[in-house]
Amino acid sequence: MSIQELKPVKEGKVREIYDNGDSLVMVATDRISCFDVVLGNNVDKKGTVLTQMSKFWFDMTQDILPNHMISVDVNDMPEYFRQEKFQGKSMLCRKLDMIPVECIVRGYITGSGWASYQKDGTVCGIKLPQGLQEAQKLPEPIYTPSTKAEIGDHDENITYDQSVDYLEQRYPGKGAEYAAKLRDYTIALYKKCAEYALKRGIIIADTKFEFGLDENGCIVLADEMLTPDSSRFWPADSYEPGHGQPSFDKQFARDWLKANPGNNWVLPEDVVCRTIEKYLQAYEMLTGTSL
């Protein structure tokens, strides 16, 4: 008897989501995207790193707030997901009403934040001290939310006050409450995990979180968490402010694409291999285990 094929109800650049009645199955594929474009390569084991790393952080932060994870054991999922191609990459999750705000936290000034600071001394409307260097640690982590765009569109950075108004439109009477909780949860999660990661030799320069509401209107952590796709990971032993840092994330692939115009969004095999090496190294350093 053949297994009934299931189709995802939503397909992102990297993730596929399947409806399982009162729950969802989220599959992290081996696809890789850079600059909002899905590249022509698959990166073997990448989906496994994303799923298992999210599980690691979800387990660690349950004391701060609940998360959407039910299980990463495919035996807890429909038979379709017990195929080899889904092993390690699939997560059974609670269904939530996803809050349309991407919750970004920056502990170091880099990337688009550095570019903005050089222009006017601010990042997403937040005034920062004068004289900061590229990649310097900020006095305190800053929360810089953005609207969550549909696939193919770009997220839009907004100020905290704008996030209050934005959420009030979606959740009348709850905008200020939800905005404050998203900010506070984001900062608390980052501080706990960044402190842990630093002890394991990794600086978490910045990251993003997503949240949803359960059936009781309570905020729940969702999507992925502190993966190389959603975060900037830097090696602590070579950290030196004043310039860009080497990283464990897909910045390696981004850098190659920028240095090689006309690439048709396809990476050479050695860049693919180097990319997954960095993902796996980050996973092993943070979790103390190998995949």
Side-chain angles (χ1 to χ4, degrees):
M1 181 178 176
S2 61
I3 300 172
Q4 181 184 2
E5 182 176 1
L6 301 179
K7 298 289 186 183
V9 294
K10 184 176 180 181
E11 191 166 358
K13 292 187 288 290
V14 173
R15 283 175 176 74
E16 297 172 346
I17 299 176
Y18 298 79
D19 194 328
N20 187 44
D22 59 356
S23 60
L24 298 171
V25 177
M26 182 179 292
V27 177
T29 71
D30 288 337
R31 297 192 294 264
I32 183 170
S33 73
C34 295
F35 310 113
D36 289 328
V37 175
V38 178
L39 305 187
N41 308 85
N42 276 356
V43 179
D44 187 40
K45 294 186 180 177
K46 178 175 173 286
T48 303
V49 173
L50 299 184
T51 298
Q52 299 304 319
M53 191 172 284
S54 290
K55 177 189 183 301
F56 174 78
W57 294 117
F58 283 148
D59 286 340
M60 180 185 291
T61 56
Q62 291 181 83
D63 59 324
I64 296 176
L65 82 164
N67 59 69
H68 72 165
M69 181 178 67
I70 299 172
S71 176
V72 294
D73 185 345
V74 292
N75 292 314
D76 296 330
M77 304 175 201
E79 185 180 4
Y80 178 69
F81 297 97
R82 297 169 204 168
Q83 303 176 66
E84 184 178 352
K85 65 179 180 178
F86 294 115
Q87 294 281 349
K89 301 176 181 178
S90 307
M91 182 178 290
L92 185 65
C93 306
R94 298 164 60 185
K95 278 187 174 178
L96 302 171
D97 172 21
M98 294 301 294
I99 300 174
V101 171
E102 199 160 75
C103 298
I104 300 164
V105 55
R106 306 169 191 261
Y108 295 72
I109 187 162
T110 188
S112 62
W114 172 241
S116 174
Y117 176 78
Q118 288 178 293
K119 288 180 182 177
D120 59 12
T122 70
V123 176
C124 298
I126 300 172
K127 188 71 175 175
L128 295 178
Q130 294 182 350
L132 294 177
Q133 296 179 284
E134 182 179 3
Q136 187 170 339
K137 185 177 182 180
L138 297 171
E140 281 292 323
I142 59 173
Y143 173 64
T144 59
S146 72
T147 58
K148 183 64 178 167
E150 293 296 319
I151 294 171
D153 295 328
H154 292 282
D155 298 342
E156 179 183 349
N157 292 330
I158 53 177
T159 65
Y160 175 74
D161 289 342
Q162 287 174 323
S163 78
V164 174
D165 295 337
Y166 184 71
L167 289 167
E168 182 64 26
Q169 294 174 23
R170 176 73 181 264
Y171 310 103
K174 291 285 191 177
E177 176 190 341
Y178 286 165
K181 285 184 175 179
L182 292 179
R183 176 197 60 201
D184 294 348
Y185 282 141
T186 296
I187 296 293
L189 290 166
Y190 174 78
K191 284 186 171 181
K192 176 172 184 171
C193 296
E195 180 180 346
Y196 167 84
L198 191 57
K199 294 175 182 176
R200 307 289 301 193
I202 288 181
I203 291 170
I204 302 176
D206 54 36
T207 192
K208 66 180 180 69
F209 301 111
E210 293 191 39
F211 301 87
L213 299 172
D214 67 12
E215 62 278 5
N216 299 314
C218 296
I219 294 177
V220 176
L221 181 60
D223 198 58
E224 64 181 317
M225 182 178 182
L226 286 164
T227 70
D229 268 16
S230 65
S231 318
R232 280 189 176 91
F233 292 158
W234 297 339
D237 59 2
S238 62
Y239 171 67
E240 181 184 63
H243 54 80
Q245 306 295 307
S247 67
F248 291 103
D249 52 52
K250 61 183 177 182
Q251 191 61 44
F252 184 79
R254 291 193 196 101
D255 290 344
W256 186 90
L257 291 167
K258 285 194 289 186
N260 294 272
N263 51 62
N264 295 319
W265 301 105
V266 176
L267 300 171
E269 191 60 32
D270 64 315
V271 176
V272 173
C273 292
R274 187 76 180 109
T275 298
I276 193 58
E277 283 175 10
K278 287 177 173 289
Y279 276 58
L280 289 168
Q281 184 182 4
Y283 179 84
E284 292 169 8
M285 289 176 69
L286 288 168
T287 68
T289 60
S290 59
L291 291 172

